[in-house]
Amino acid sequence: KQWYQRRVRGEMRIRSYGQLLESYSSLTVTYMATSFGVSERFIDRELSRFISAGALNAKIDKVGGIIQTNRPDKKNWQYQSVIKQGDLLLNRIQKLSRVITI
């Protein structure tokens, strides 16, 4: 039960952070921490964890204290999708060819 509650709170924070980040191309760690009423250290750790997990499309400039959003454009997303589907198809064909030649 505690795991589930922690997971739900994490997902809610991801959505909240994502909504704020969508509005800006970049913003400061200080601004974001103030917006959510938490410390800069907390927001830095949270965002680092969510960004590395792929839950948020952003990057943190620790020297400048700036969070920059990385909005993947639609064409890039489509290209990545086609590449993944092509790889899956090639793998299936290779597996099938091994079965047929035996």
Side-chain angles (χ1 to χ4, degrees), residues 8-75:
V8 168
R9 282 193 305 263
E11 289 297 323
M12 289 172 61
R13 286 196 305 265
I14 289 170
R15 287 184 184 215
S16 299
Y17 297 154
Q19 284 179 348
L20 182 62
L21 290 169
E22 280 179 9
S23 303
Y24 302 96
S25 60
S26 66
L27 50 98
T28 65
V29 174
T30 305
Y31 176 79
M32 196 157 179
T34 304
S35 297
F36 288 102
V38 296
S39 69
E40 291 180 31
R41 185 171 181 231
F42 177 83
I43 204 79
D44 183 56
R45 279 185 298 165
E46 282 266 297
L47 290 178
S48 295
R49 189 165 51 101
F50 293 144
I51 291 169
S52 66
L56 290 173
N57 292 318
K59 60 183 176 178
I60 302 172
D61 174 6
K62 293 200 182 226
V63 174
I66 297 173
I67 304 161
Q68 296 176 330
T69 57
N70 284 354
R71 289 189 199 102
D73 61 347
K74 189 174 182 179
K75 285 188 179 188

Side-chain angles (χ1 to χ4, degrees), residues 81-93:
S81 177
V82 168
I83 296 295
K84 284 181 184 178
Q85 290 173 355
D87 284 343
L88 289 173
L89 180 61
L90 285 173
N91 288 336
R92 288 180 184 163
I93 290 172

